[in-house]
Amino acid sequence: MRALVLPAYGPASTLTVGTLPDPTAGPGEIALRMAGASINPIDWKQMSGAAARWIPLELPAVLGRDVSGTVVAVGSGVKELVVGARVMGRVRGGAFAEIAVGPAAGFVAAPAGLDLADAAALPLVLLTGAQLAEEAIDARAGESVLVTGATGNVGRVAVFAAKGRGAKVWAGVREKYVAAARELGVAGVVILDDAAAVAALPELDAIADTVGGETGGRLVAKLKVGGRYGGVVGVPAAAEAAAKEKRIAAKSILTHDDGKRLAALAQAVADGALAIPIARRFPLAEGAAAMDFAQKGAEGKVLLLGL
Ligand SMILES: NC(=O)c1ccc[n+]([C@@H]2O[C@H](COP(=O)([O-])OP(=O)(O)OC[C@H]3O[C@@H](n4cnc5c(N)ncnc54)[C@H](OP(=O)(O)O)[C@@H]3O)[C@@H](O)[C@H]2O)c1
C-alpha cells in the first residue's frame, strides 16, 4: 500500500509518500480501505518529536489517529463490524495510508447522511469535546461554563455538549474568532487576552479548557470556590495551586473510546445540529503540504483523501 511515511522526527517537509506492506487485522481489530483521514494537533506534536517523551514512535512511522473508510478485513473476535461496512473511528497511528488497522472498539458506522471521507474529521474531536464537558467538568443545567478555544475543533464540541446539558456557556477565543464564536449560540463571547473582558465575566462554575498553559491558568481565578477545571492539555500550574486554595477540582483527560456517544454526536453533525468545519481536503500524496497547512492554524479540520 501507499502511505505517508515519517522517516525521522522533523517538520512537515520530512514526510514522504512510500510503499509499505499492507497491515493485517489482529484479534479484535479491523482493517479498512481509507476514504479519509484527518489531521489533529497530536499528529504534528508526534511528527516534530515534541511528544516523543510520552508517546515514542518507532521510526519510520505512519502517523494519523482519525480515519474513515470501508472495512476490508476483520480480526478474530470482531462481531459488530463486517467486511464492506462504512465506518469511522480512531486508530493508534497509521491513518495516513491506503489501509489502516485499529481496534474495532474504536469504530462505529459512519452516518448515512455524511460523505464517507468527511466523516474522518470527526472521531477524535467529537469524543474529546464531549468527554471534556460531560466527564472532566460534568457540566450541569444552569451552571456558568467557560469553554476556551471555543471555535477550535475540540472547543466547539465542548460548547455543544455543555449546552446540551443546559449550561450557560461562554466562548473564550482570540479576537479574530469573535464573529465565529457568536455563531455557536452561546450566552457570551470573551476575548481571552483581554484582561478587562475576562474580569467582567461572572463567577464560573466550571472551565472546559482546550488551550491550557498561561491562558488556561489565568482563568482559574474566575472559578467559584469548589468550582471545576477540566483540561485536554494537562492541568496548568496555576490551576494546581488554586485547586488547593479554592477547593477547585482540576482534571486533565485523555480521550477514550465510547461508540454510543460517538455515533450520537456524528448523527448531530449529519443533522446539521453541530458544525465541524472542514478547512481543506488534500490527496494523501500531498500529505506534507496538508500537515504544514494544518499546523499553521487551518481554522477547521484538514483532511487527507484516499488514493
Ligand atoms: N487530551 C486528549 O486526549 C486530547 C485529545 C484531542 C486533542 N487534544 C488537544 O486539544 C488541543 C485542541 O485541539 P483542537 O483539535 O481543538 O485544535 P484546534 O482546532 O487548533 O483548536 C485550538 C483553538 O484554540 C485556540 N487557541 C490556542 N491558544 C490560544 C490562546 N492562548 N488564547 C485563545 N485561543 C487559543 C486556537 O487558535 P489559533 O489556531 O489561532 O492558535 C484554536 O482556535 C490540542 O492541543 C490537542 O493536542 C487533547
Side-chain angles (χ1 to χ4, degrees):
M1 65 165 186
R2 307 275 280 162
L4 189 67
V5 179
L6 180 73
Y9 293 122
S13 58
T14 314
L15 296 164
T16 56
V17 177
T19 303
L20 296 175
D22 285 3
T24 51
E29 292 183 330
I30 60 166
L32 63 155
R33 177 160 297 277
M34 187 267 270
S38 79
I39 297 177
N40 288 287
I42 186 64
D43 300 318
W44 63 76
K45 291 177 192 175
Q46 286 200 278
M47 177 183 74
S48 69
R53 254 192 315 141
W54 75 95
I55 329 174
L57 286 175
E58 217 171 278
L59 296 165
V62 179
L63 300 170
R65 304 284 179 126
D66 267 338
V67 63
S68 61
T70 307
V71 177
V72 291
V74 299
S76 60
V78 175
K79 296 204 168 51
E80 316 75 32
L81 299 170
V82 295
V83 171
R86 290 158 39 95
V87 297
M88 53 184 267
R90 298 193 306 141
V91 292
R92 301 188 182 110
F96 302 160
E98 280 182 288
I99 307 285
V101 165
F107 284 84
V108 297
L114 271 189
D115 177 84
L116 183 58
D118 287 358
L122 304 178
L124 183 63
V125 299
L126 291 187
L127 286 173
T128 308
Q131 288 166 10
L132 179 60
E134 295 164 358
E135 298 177 16
I137 63 163
D138 185 17
R140 296 164 207 169
E143 287 189 335
S144 295
V145 170
L146 171 67
V147 176
T148 69
T151 57
N153 295 304
V154 172
R156 54 180 60 238
V157 182
V159 168
F160 178 80
K163 280 172 57 184
R165 289 275 186 100
K168 220 169 155 187
V169 178
W170 270 260
V173 292
R174 295 191 201 275
E175 191 167 9
K176 62 183 173 177
Y177 299 135
V178 166
R182 292 217 171 94
E183 286 174 22
L184 299 172
V186 283
V189 175
V190 61
I191 299 168
L192 293 178
D193 51 16
D194 179 340
V198 170
L201 278 172
E203 221 182 17
L204 299 167
D205 293 286
I207 297 174
D209 187 14
T210 76
V211 165
E214 260 184 51
T215 304
R218 264 200 322 270
L219 295 166
V220 171
K222 293 301 304 183
L223 279 173
K224 54 178 63 162
V225 171
R228 297 162 337 261
Y229 169 93
V232 290
V233 284
V235 174
E240 302 254 19
K244 293 190 192 110
E245 288 157 24
K246 285 174 75 178
R247 291 189 286 107
I248 304 295
K251 267 190 207 164
S252 165
I253 59 157
L254 280 181
T255 314
H256 62 84
D257 288 333
D258 183 346
K260 208 170 150 198
R261 194 71 186 108
L262 176 57
L265 289 162
Q267 193 57 51
V269 174
D271 293 344
L274 168 61
I276 305 296
I278 293 178
R280 200 162 150 190
R281 300 167 183 83
F282 291 77
L284 180 63
E286 291 172 27
M291 189 71 100
D292 186 53
F293 178 77
Q295 197 174 2
K296 285 180 175 153
E299 296 183 33
K301 294 292 296 186
V302 178
L303 286 180
L304 297 176
L305 303 179
L307 295 169

